[in-house]
Amino acid sequence: MTPAKTPTADEAPARSFWYAYVFLIAALALALQLYVAVLSPLAYADRVLVLVGLATVMAALVVAYDMHLKYEPRWILLIPFGSLALVFVLVAALLASSGSAPPP
Amino acid sequence: MAGSALLAAGHRVGMAEAEVRTDPEVEHEHGSPWPFVIAVGAAIGYVGLVISLPLLVFGVIVFLAGAVGWLRDDLHSVSRAVYGTATAISAKFRHVSDRKLAVWLFLATEVMFFSALIGTSWTLRFRNSYGLPWGMPGQVLDVPITALNTFILFASSLTMVEALASIERGDQKRMRRFLAATLVLGIAFVVIQAREFYTLYFVEGLTFTSAPDGLNPLYGQTFFIQTGTHGAHVTAGVFALLYTTIKAWKGGFTKENHEAVELVALYWNFVDVVWIFLFTIVYLI
């Protein structure tokens, strides 16, 4: 049996240092999203790109710092991102195969 | 002779017990019957789902009885020695405990589940059955209120990780306060979402089969299935938080024994991540 890694007294404050920053960045990104979605004169396609980009940044910060993925062994990344990659392939196939269907 | 043999045997047994007590590598079995009861309840429920409603109800009752029994046992076994030290937490893989690995695997299934829901909704939107448009931001859905709800969920993620940071430093009082704050924020999110659902369904006329303003009727279906499923996950998280907060108030977590807080935090932050994408896709695009 291998001992599990638990944060030492030095590691825990180092991790918690980022929590407030992640919250602030996420809150700012949310405000920016609202501006882009409601007030921005951007074209629809550009708007979608910016909104999804901001959401990805917010999610990445939460996963990396609040869920501690940044501090876990690298192979743990395979679990969430492996499943995500599989779903991307399946959803892309679904989108590609869906033409304009006639109303039922 | 016989007496000395017995004494020697007794001494060996005593030594073995002492070794078991002091060896942190030894796995202590709790011997709880409740996981078995839960499994039996689930099996009966699944069979009932196919063949009989009363059997399904019976299965659910057995399942809930098992869950309550297990939680009650756990609630009364505060800071057990079995989970007392870092080395006593079993781990088949280096640097990750079995329980944390199990939660990550569970979250991987959740990633696939939510991605399938979102992917299907996108497909229905682009396929544009009925030839009717989708709702634009703010047309039917209340974006400002939901943005506030998103902020509440962000704040709850912060309080959750602060609770974890507190117990990592051994600060019980601070952990309890942050857990209680997370619980309140989680309940607020669910209440605001329930109010939104009520308004949309009964006032605005966004239902499972119809949508206002000549919008695509699939708009309502995809909206409720995506946000409703997420709301159900948040509700489950609120129950997990309630349990964790009660256990924390009973002194159930210590600086050395708080893995459950970290695992609940993992789940709670995961529902936050899912909401970040759902809010963007469902409300803003």
Side-chain angles (χ1 to χ4, degrees):
Chain A
M1 188 185 295
T2 311
K5 187 186 180 191
T6 51
T8 64
D10 296 331
E11 285 174 328
R15 292 191 322 191
S16 60
F17 172 79
W18 294 102
Y19 294 154
Y21 287 107
V22 169
F23 170 70
L24 284 175
I25 294 169
L28 284 174
L30 175 64
L32 197 57
Q33 272 193 325
L34 287 175
Y35 171 77
V36 171
V38 181
L39 300 171
S40 162
L42 285 174
Y44 184 73
D46 295 336
R47 220 162 54 208
V48 169
L49 207 63
V50 172
L51 290 171
V52 173
L54 284 169
T56 306
V57 168
M58 284 190 272
L61 284 172
V62 174
V63 171
Y65 292 99
D66 289 356
M67 296 175 78
H68 302 150
L69 206 54
K70 185 178 181 334
Y71 306 98
E72 299 290 358
R74 290 275 178 262
W75 63 265
I76 282 278
L77 290 169
L78 289 172
I79 299 174
F81 287 104
S83 61
L84 200 59
L86 174 67
V87 168
F88 262 123
V89 172
L90 295 174
V91 171
L94 184 67
L95 281 168
S97 66
S98 58
S100 182
Chain B
M1 280 294 285
S4 61
L6 276 173
L7 277 174
H11 179 70
R12 280 198 297 277
V13 170
M15 288 289 286
E17 282 176 354
E19 281 167 15
V20 167
R21 276 194 221 104
T22 55
D23 185 359
E25 298 287 313
V26 174
E27 182 87 21
H28 292 246
E29 299 297 337
H30 51 68
S32 170
W34 298 115
F36 181 72
V37 175
I38 289 173
V40 169
I44 294 170
Y46 279 122
V47 173
L49 196 63
V50 178
I51 62 169
S52 153
L53 183 63
L55 201 58
L56 170 64
V57 172
F58 179 66
V60 169
I61 290 169
V62 173
F63 181 93
L64 289 177
V68 169
W70 200 3
L71 291 176
R72 201 184 56 182
D73 279 2
D74 184 63
L75 202 59
H76 289 104
S77 60
V78 289
S79 302
R80 272 193 209 165
V82 60
Y83 302 128
T85 62
T87 49
I89 298 170
S90 63
K92 304 290 184 291
F93 297 93
R94 185 171 287 276
H95 298 320
V96 178
S97 76
D98 289 350
R99 291 194 290 178
K100 191 192 279 187
L101 180 61
V103 171
W104 272 111
L105 287 169
F106 167 67
L107 294 182
T109 67
E110 293 283 69
V111 166
M112 291 191 276
F113 177 64
F114 276 106
S115 303
L117 279 182
I118 295 169
T120 307
S121 300
W122 268 95
T123 306
L124 289 170
R125 183 173 180 172
F126 285 121
R127 186 178 281 186
N128 196 16
S129 301
Y130 304 106
L132 296 171
W134 222 251
M136 294 308 288
Q139 189 178 352
V140 181
L141 308 177
D142 193 339
V143 173
I145 288 292
T146 314
L148 173 68
N149 225 11
T150 307
F151 183 79
I152 287 172
L153 207 55
F154 285 169
S156 75
S157 272
L158 175 64
T159 53
M160 186 70 233
V161 287
E162 286 294 349
L164 176 62
S166 303
I167 194 62
E168 280 175 348
R169 294 190 201 99
D171 191 340
Q172 296 255 2
K173 200 172 171 182
R174 197 163 178 268
M175 173 195 60
R176 288 182 200 130
R177 285 179 180 165
F178 275 118
L179 277 176
T182 313
L183 181 63
V184 169
L185 290 167
I187 291 169
F189 180 91
V190 174
V191 168
I192 291 173
Q193 193 175 45
R195 179 191 161 280
E196 181 199 20
F197 277 18
Y198 178 86
T199 307
L200 285 172
Y201 198 92
F202 293 105
V203 180
E204 301 287 341
L206 185 71
T207 69
F208 300 113
T209 53
S210 65
D213 303 338
L215 295 174
N216 196 317
L218 292 173
Y219 182 53
Q221 285 183 21
T222 55
F223 167 79
F224 283 115
I225 195 75
Q226 289 177 100
T227 55
T229 306
H230 178 267
H233 278 74
V234 176
T235 307
V238 165
F239 280 110
L241 273 170
L242 178 65
Y243 176 77
T244 310
T245 307
I246 291 170
K247 184 157 179 168
W249 239 271
K250 285 174 172 283
F253 303 114
T254 62
K255 187 176 180 182
E256 296 79 21
N257 169 24
H258 57 262
E259 198 185 24
V261 180
E262 184 174 4
L263 302 184
V264 171
L266 262 182
Y267 176 80
W268 191 255
N269 286 310
F270 172 77
V271 295
D272 185 12
V273 170
V274 172
W275 183 252
I276 287 171
F277 286 109
L278 276 182
F279 175 66
T280 305
I281 292 168
V282 175
Y283 288 83
L284 301 182
I285 291 179

